[in-house]
Amino acid sequence: MVGCSMGDMARTDSTAVSPPAWGVQHTLCLPTEDAARQAAAELAAGGHRLVAIRAHDHFRSDPSSFWYGKPSLDPELAGWWQVFSLAVHSGHDRRALEPFLRHEHIRIAGVARSRGGFHQGCAEGHAATLQQVFTRDGLVHERATAEVAPPVPLPADPAPPALGPRWTGPASAEPHRPEDVVRAVVAVAERMYGSAEDAPDAVGWLLGEDFAFGEPYETTGAFLGDLADAVAHQGDCTDDTVDAVPFLAELASDGAIPPAVRVIVLGDLLRLASTGASLAVFTADRVAALGDVWQEPAGVQMTRRAIGRALPRLLARWDEEGDAARFVLAALAATAAPEGVGTHLVRRLKDLPAPAGSPRADTVALIAALLDDDERGLGAALHRLASWRPALAEQTATPHAAARQVAVAVLPALVMEDVGPAVHP
């Protein structure tokens, strides 16, 4: 199945050829067959070309299926039903459709939510391809030429406000040579653990001499990307991640590590600390539909707590750090600080270069509301952010995600996109 890649930009001259029709296949999970049929009928009435419903794990009871007899990946959904639908949109390239498709995703998630279910996900690609591979078992609606026509004119995303002033400090005139950065990181490991090989399992293999110096990295970013992936492969927090947190914290506070690199490592810690909130927002509708209570996975919780334990030492460097590092540190404190740690930073936020009306000012307001545990301020900050960052609309659309969870989930992207130009010259 074709993934969620952008289509080619359409030509705009007199010989312009319309881009191929774009398709989106949605999957909804509903608690009963009746609810599934109702949702299927609503999607068909809205112009979806193909709609099928099947009992969850349908193919595990089909002797001709690869999945026959295999254990369920979602045993908690036993007795539930799924709706699969294909919506086709023509006349526009994928990039132009982005605001409309975002609205459609929100709307269709609401269709499932209103019937006690949840939107399980979607796949995108050329409509002809998706129609050809659509599984027709349980097909209940088919209209060969049906399309969901976008409005005219197409909605457009608002332009973001002008960026705040440039960050000072983290970048130098010349990029840091990757071999120098690797050696500095290895030196930290040797100081902490006696040798690089004795570093925590998640990073020890990365710092071994054969790996680090056998085939030199072309860029510092490539090395730091491998380091981040080694600590939490595909964002998965494990016991190895917990063990590696003190090492990352040491890198983030070691004066021998270039300032730009330390800012990036602080950003890695920020992303790790926000993992639980991101999962909570992503699964909010599912958890509510199943009548469950959100529980942070053990590895994620232990990682966040390990970062919290490292925070006092990191925050002690506040006066020595540049503005970009302070910005990330404040976000980290707002995300992972134990109770009572970091609240003193609220008054220091005014020292950051964040002029009123800039995107950075909205992010700083979000950080301040989190540090102060200010629900009203949190709502106001999220509202302002959503006015120029429309992707936030999907995360705030569900009533089942708490505002604090949403704020923590979006904070790493807001912060690191802002400091990115300074740390990646």
Side-chain angles (χ1 to χ4, degrees), residues 9 79 123 155 163 218 225 271 275 287 308-309 312 393 397 411:
M9 295 295 291
L163 291 174
E218 293 184 3
R271 279 187 284 269
T275 300
V287 170
R309 290 192 294 271
L411 200 51

Side-chain angles (χ1 to χ4, degrees), residues 35-100:
R37 290 189 179 278
Q38 291 177 25
E42 183 170 346
L43 296 179
H48 286 219
R49 183 170 295 184
L50 298 169
V51 188
I53 68 168
R54 296 191 287 272
H56 184 264
D57 281 343
H58 164 78
F59 290 107
R60 287 185 167 81
S61 58
D62 180 354
S64 65
S65 171
F66 167 81
W67 296 103
Y68 178 68
K70 290 183 169 59
S72 175
L73 299 177
D74 300 291
E76 68 273 18
L77 294 178
W80 281 58
W81 285 71
Q82 292 175 296
V83 177
F84 304 88
S85 73
L86 175 63
V88 176
H89 317 283
S90 63
H92 304 279
D93 65 75
R94 172 59 178 81
R95 190 169 303 168
L97 285 170
E98 176 63 27
F100 167 68

Side-chain angles (χ1 to χ4, degrees), residues 279-367:
L279 288 171
V281 173
F282 181 73
T283 61
D285 281 351
R286 178 188 178 116
V287 170
L290 289 168
D292 293 337
V293 176
W294 162 252
Q295 291 186 341
E296 193 174 30
V300 172
Q301 184 182 85
M302 290 190 296
T303 297
R304 179 174 51 78
R305 289 179 174 175
I307 294 170
R309 290 192 294 271
L311 260 174
R313 183 180 176 193
L314 292 171
L315 294 177
R317 292 182 49 87
W318 180 274
D319 290 333
E320 303 171 48
E321 297 288 6
D323 286 336
R326 291 175 182 174
F327 186 47
V328 186
L329 270 174
L332 188 58
T335 302
E339 187 174 353
V341 175
T343 54
H344 67 284
L345 294 180
V346 175
R347 67 179 185 276
R348 305 294 301 273
L349 295 178
K350 61 180 175 53
D351 298 330
L352 295 175
S358 67
R360 191 177 302 160
D362 290 342
T363 304
V364 169
L366 192 70
I367 292 170

Side-chain angles (χ1 to χ4, degrees), residues 8 54 127 137-138 205 221 246 248 291 302 317 384 408 422:
D8 294 333
R54 296 191 287 272
D137 290 53
W205 66 273
L248 293 182
M302 290 190 296
R317 292 182 49 87
R384 287 195 303 272
V408 171

